Amino acid sequence: NSPVSEPASATPTPQNLVDNPERLAKVKTEMCVYYEKGKRCPWGDRCNYAHGEHELKFKYSTLLLMEKAGQISNAKTHLSRPCFTWVSTGHCPFGRRCSAVHDPRVQGSEEYPSWLPAATSKTSAQIIMDPLYIHYENAIHQENPLIPQTIWDGCRPSFKNKCYETCFGENEMSAAEDDYIVWMDTYRLVCNAGVRAFRDYENIRNPKTLTELQRLCCVVSMGRSQDSYCEEEKDVSASHRIDYIFSPTHSIMNELCMILQVKYFLLLDVDYSKGKVCVDDIVREISEEEYKDRTRPWSSKEFPFSPSKVVKVDKLAFAPKGDHSANISFWFDEDIIPLEQSEIKRIRRAKQKNKTSIRNGHTRPHANGFLVSCTSSADFACNRSPAFDPFVPMIPAEDNSLVESLVDAIMMHRVDYLICKNLPLELKRLKDKELAKQMDDAMHKFFGYWDFFNQWVWPKRKEMESVNALSMAPSKNSIH
């Protein structure tokens, strides 16, 4: 039997695609399964899939060109490791859309392709499968136990030929050692030290100054409980992992977002001569009323007008949990605009249309080297910089309390290191030794987790270990 296809003709856009430019852009980008099997397609010329090579919009066969055209999200990971759902059940609900390998040895007979068939059941509307799928997709590719893989691939400071400071006094270590470079890249990414989160247009002159130490202390305070831990900082978790159902309500930098948390802080004048300085000596949480009093000269005089001494911190999400574009991050003193539902729909459709119009300008997440993920010019389409560079916390794909506690320890070490730089010389020398021991302990823990993760990670297919301009797209249904 030869493939049967009706001649292509101008037909109205299907109703399910009229208001979805992103899906409309994928019409005729893949071959029709009926056509490929030599069967008559029930939709004929109305089919959204191509009936023959001549109908394909894109005929790219190399991974990098497919990524640039927006057909795949990440050329480095596409079809490089097995699909967990397929391995577990012999079936995958995403079918050809899945970005992982479907090994035919797991599949059953043609009559019963899945040896554990899928079953539908009534579930709560709050239970969404996409985040779970995205979680496993991210976890299977994660090389560094502390850093999301797309950030590790695109934002490592060593890839930008940046010089490292030792972070613990005057001691020097050989930067040529691979382990040291891996550790310092991890340390800097966790602390956002020397790594920009957002592209810099250099068109804003902010009279207020916000130091790295103040930013870090605000972030640490956002992740802790209300109880002060000035005396027992080592035992406190400042984890920023959070469960949420994404529902955008605001806009920032022309991007829809959801506010996860808002806090206000007073920037304190610190007396470093006393020696013992902690987070609560750097910043102190205040009420919204106090923040308004200090930033509005016409408000009540309960608190003095001092806008340079206060900061508002918003924790935002830009997509569902687990998605590379979720961009969970902390923004400082930014105007976040509340939106009506009609405005949210308008902004979402405008962005989808902008993405659809881009043919060869797509990139994989974090390819530009910034911690806030942008995959095309349609993301954060605002030609200005934020008032202060956002802080992007490292949230590992694996929900592991030991790994999260190490992330907390690294951030607290950075806080102590920045405090130590301001101490009197005699106190600084004593603190340097303590910081060096803390750094050494954290590094040994990290490489313990690193060795474990890399021992048990699924290996990549041999042909996908290195992707270049000549790398061809592998077959989905092939042996891993």
Side-chain angles (χ1 to χ4, degrees):
N1 295 331
S2 59
V4 178
S5 174
E6 303 290 342
S9 59
T11 56
T13 303
Q15 286 298 313
N16 65 327
L17 301 180
V18 169
D19 292 328
N20 197 329
E22 194 167 5
R23 286 186 60 195
L24 184 61
K26 295 180 179 179
V27 173
K28 301 294 184 182
T29 61
E30 295 182 15
M31 294 294 291
C32 172
V33 291
Y34 293 100
Y35 179 87
E36 288 183 320
K37 292 180 179 179
K39 299 179 180 180
R40 179 178 293 275
C41 176
W43 287 276
D45 62 347
R46 294 177 300 165
C47 182
N48 293 334
Y49 295 89
H51 289 183
E53 296 286 340
H54 64 286
E55 289 191 5
L56 283 173
K57 280 186 180 179
F58 302 112
K59 298 182 181 180
Y60 302 129
S61 56
T62 63
L63 287 167
L64 292 181
L65 286 177
M66 292 172 68
E67 178 187 85
K68 199 172 182 181
Q71 287 182 273
I72 60 176
S73 61
N74 194 333
K76 288 187 175 183
T77 60
H78 185 67
L79 298 180
S80 63
R81 290 187 170 96
C83 169
F84 274 2
T85 306
W86 181 269
V87 170
S88 302
T89 68
H91 176 80
C92 176
F94 294 91
R96 294 180 302 176
R97 294 286 182 190
C98 182
S99 60
V101 178
H102 291 169
D103 194 319
R105 294 173 296 178
V106 181
Q107 190 176 22
S109 63
E110 184 175 351
E111 185 178 1
Y112 302 102
S114 175
W115 51 266
L116 184 61
T120 58
S121 61
K122 293 183 179 180
T123 61
S124 166
Q126 297 297 312
I127 299 176
I128 301 177
M129 289 302 297
D130 278 356
L132 184 62
Y133 168 76
I134 294 170
H135 164 79
Y136 282 119
E137 184 182 30
N138 291 337
I140 196 174
H141 295 295
Q142 188 160 347
E143 178 184 352
N144 188 315
L146 273 59
I147 311 295
Q149 188 60 33
T150 52
I151 292 180
W152 187 246
D153 283 338
C155 305
R156 291 181 61 178
S158 62
F159 291 171
K160 302 178 182 180
N161 297 319
K162 290 196 174 185
C163 297
Y164 288 109
E165 60 182 350
T166 59
C167 296
F168 43 88
E170 303 299 327
N171 300 328
E172 294 184 0
M173 296 179 66
S174 174
E177 295 178 4
D178 290 341
D179 285 352
Y180 176 70
I181 294 176
V182 167
W183 164 245
M184 289 309 302
D185 280 343
T186 302
Y187 183 97
R188 284 187 170 277
L189 288 172
V190 167
C191 302
N192 286 205
V195 185
R196 286 199 62 84
F198 202 83
R199 56 185 182 268
D200 189 6
Y201 290 104
E202 297 183 355
N203 59 353
I204 283 189
R205 296 293 178 266
N206 197 329
K208 183 189 296 186
T209 58
L210 191 64
T211 65
E212 180 189 357
L213 177 58
Q214 290 169 334
R215 289 173 70 247
L216 265 177
C217 289
C218 289
V219 171
V220 170
S221 297
M222 294 279 281
R224 72 184 187 183
S225 65
Q226 295 295 326
D227 298 331
S228 174
Y229 60 94
C230 195
E231 296 297 327
E232 299 292 341
E233 286 178 346
K234 296 180 181 178
D235 299 327
V236 174
S237 172
S239 174
H240 296 289
R241 184 182 299 278
I242 186 172
D243 290 322
Y244 64 91
I245 303 298
F246 183 66
S247 177
T249 53
H250 292 71
S251 171
I252 181 174
M253 311 286 286
N254 289 344
E255 193 76 17
L256 292 176
C257 66
M258 175 182 179
I259 299 179
L260 303 178
Q261 189 181 15
V262 183
K263 284 191 177 183
Y264 306 88
F265 294 96
L266 178 65
L267 308 179
L268 302 172
D269 295 322
V270 185
D271 180 13
Y272 291 99
S273 62
K274 66 179 183 179
K276 192 173 183 180
V277 179
C278 65
V279 171
D280 289 340
D281 297 320
I282 308 296
V283 298
R284 177 170 59 83
E285 185 180 350
I286 60 176
S287 65
E288 183 179 1
E289 290 72 21
E290 180 177 348
Y291 175 82
K292 290 179 178 178
D293 281 352
R294 291 181 180 275
T295 54
R296 298 177 181 176
W298 58 85
S299 62
S300 65
K301 295 302 179 181
E302 182 178 356
F303 299 100
F305 175 67
S306 52
S308 63
K309 303 295 290 183
V310 291
V311 62
K312 177 172 75 81
V313 186
D314 294 273
K315 184 178 183 180
L316 307 178
F318 296 86
K321 178 186 175 184
D323 194 293
H324 66 79
S325 58
N327 284 324
I328 295 177
S329 47
F330 297 89
W331 296 70
F332 305 89
D333 274 353
E334 277 298 318
D335 291 329
I336 303 176
I337 305 170
L339 301 174
E340 300 291 338
Q341 281 299 317
S342 58
E343 296 174 301
I344 293 173
K345 290 181 180 179
R346 177 179 57 80
I347 293 176
R348 181 178 282 140
R349 288 178 181 175
K351 180 177 178 178
Q352 287 177 337
K353 288 181 180 179
N354 288 340
K355 278 200 167 187
T356 302
S357 65
I358 299 171
R359 283 290 176 262
N360 291 300
H362 297 273
T363 63
R364 59 181 167 273
H366 305 287
N368 57 8
F370 298 111
L371 296 179
V372 172
S373 174
C374 295
T375 58
S376 71
S377 57
D379 297 327
F380 295 94
C382 181
N383 294 327
R384 74 170 182 87
S385 300
F388 301 99
D389 202 35
F391 186 96
V392 179
M394 297 298 111
I395 305 177
E398 289 291 341
D399 189 359
N400 186 315
S401 59
L402 294 176
V403 171
E404 290 179 357
S405 66
L406 179 56
V407 172
D408 299 338
I410 291 173
M411 291 185 63
M412 287 309 306
H413 179 276
R414 186 69 182 178
V415 169
D416 289 340
Y417 166 72
L418 294 172
I419 290 174
C420 181
K421 290 177 66 175
N422 295 286
L423 294 177
L425 184 58
E426 292 183 1
L427 295 174
K428 182 178 182 298
R429 288 174 178 171
L430 295 174
K431 190 67 174 177
D432 278 343
K433 295 180 180 180
E434 181 183 341
L435 290 175
K437 186 180 183 304
Q438 291 177 9
M439 173 69 88
D440 190 59
D441 291 343
M443 184 167 60
H444 279 84
K445 284 184 180 179
F446 167 73
F447 280 113
Y449 298 142
W450 174 277
D451 292 340
F452 179 83
F453 267 69
N454 284 274
Q455 182 178 0
W456 293 102
V457 70
W458 282 81
K460 280 189 174 183
R461 298 165 73 169
K462 290 184 178 179
E463 63 270 27
M464 294 292 294
E465 290 179 353
S466 178
V467 176
N468 54 44
L470 301 178
S471 299
M472 306 295 288
S475 171
K476 174 176 289 292
N477 297 319
S478 58
I479 295 176
H480 181 265

